Amino acid sequence: MLNIKPKYLVNDKGRKTAAVLSMKDYRSLMQRLEDLEDALDLDEAVETATGFREYTEIRAELQKEGNL
């Protein structure tokens, strides 16, 4: 779990209007978001895939074609 400690900006009525994060907290939050997006993309790829090939098969094909 992230341990983010935001500081808040408030308006004249005391309502929170913005949050300020340290750069360390911001980077951690952005990394977590990117990881989540990658996981969702992988889930979608697995659900929509029509077939998979082994890595060794693909590598052998690329070597045969001279692309590796």
Side-chain angles (χ1 to χ4, degrees), residues 11-30:
N11 63 14
D12 294 338
K13 295 181 182 181
R15 291 194 176 123
K16 294 176 185 174
T17 59
V20 178
L21 303 174
S22 70
M23 286 306 296
K24 180 181 176 184
D25 287 348
Y26 173 77
R27 287 185 191 107
S28 294
L29 188 60
M30 293 306 294

Side-chain angles (χ1 to χ4, degrees), residues 27-41:
R27 287 185 191 107
S28 294
L29 188 60
M30 293 306 294
Q31 184 62 51
R32 178 65 75 84
L33 181 59
E34 289 174 13
D35 292 346
L36 178 59
E37 288 174 338
D38 290 345
L40 291 172
D41 287 344

Side-chain angles (χ1 to χ4, degrees), residues 37-59:
E37 288 174 338
D38 290 345
L40 291 172
D41 287 344
L42 178 59
D43 286 346
E44 182 180 351
V46 168
E47 288 176 10
T48 59
T50 57
F52 290 98
R53 296 189 327 174
E54 292 291 327
Y55 169 76
T56 54
E57 177 187 340
I58 296 169
R59 184 170 174 81

